[in-house]
Amino acid sequence: MNCIFCRIIRGEIPSTKVYEDDLTFAFEDIEPQAKVHTLVVPKEHIENLNDMKDQSLWFAMLKAAQEVAKRKGIEKSGYRAVINCGPDGTQIVPHLHLHVLGGELLDSQMG
Ligand code: AMP
Ligand code: ZN
């Protein structure tokens, strides 16, 4: 599997790990859009949000985002959790990922 995020999860491409559990992996975004920018991905290759069918995996993704916020020290100051899906959603990497953004006041515009 040539998917870049699958390769990061397998350790074939270096990343800065923030959190990991049985179902999820979280690492620093290589081109941060905010002072804190961490990606949470399912270890299983799931292309995008449309293919997310598993309740326990969805819960694990959100728990991982909470844990990332704690570890990055932005739990109280606040953050944004974003999933881009498909072409109009500007999803570039076809392995589902949740962006955790914070560490500063974010632009209030959503699009
Ligand atoms: P998206 O536009 O939602 O598909 O976002 C993809 C994200 O993956 C972007 O924020 C990229 O900066 C990030 N990204 C791409 N390659 C890597 C990499 N090797 N390590 C960490 N983040 C990456
Ligand atoms: Zn993948």
Side-chain angles (χ1 to χ4, degrees):
M1 173 75 88
N2 222 13
C3 167
I4 186 167
F5 287 175
C6 283
R7 296 189 65 199
I8 285 176
I9 293 160
R10 289 200 298 265
E12 294 166 12
I13 293 177
S15 70
T16 303
K17 181 166 90 173
V18 176
Y19 172 76
E20 179 177 15
D21 60 31
D22 287 351
L23 297 174
T24 72
F25 190 83
F27 55 99
E28 303 294 19
D29 196 291
I30 205 168
E31 275 181 59
Q33 305 292 313
K35 283 194 180 134
V36 171
H37 190 173
T38 303
L39 301 174
V40 177
V41 302
K43 285 185 170 172
E44 180 191 341
H45 180 85
I46 293 176
E47 189 168 322
N48 66 33
L49 189 56
N50 294 328
D51 296 330
M52 171 60 90
K53 316 276 188 200
D54 186 314
Q55 269 191 37
S56 50
L57 181 55
W58 182 225
F59 185 67
M61 290 281 291
L62 294 176
K63 291 292 287 180
Q66 290 177 339
E67 188 58 33
V68 164
K70 257 187 222 160
R71 291 187 180 193
K72 299 300 292 182
I74 58 170
E75 192 186 15
K76 296 281 188 297
S77 53
Y79 54 95
R80 188 170 291 155
V82 179
I83 294 178
N84 298 327
C85 182
D88 282 359
T90 70
Q91 180 180 7
I92 307 294
V93 177
H95 180 130
L96 176 66
H97 49 282
L98 188 152
H99 299 255
V100 178
L101 297 145
E104 62 186 314
L105 181 60
L106 301 171
D107 192 326
S108 61
Q109 274 199 309
M110 288 300 291

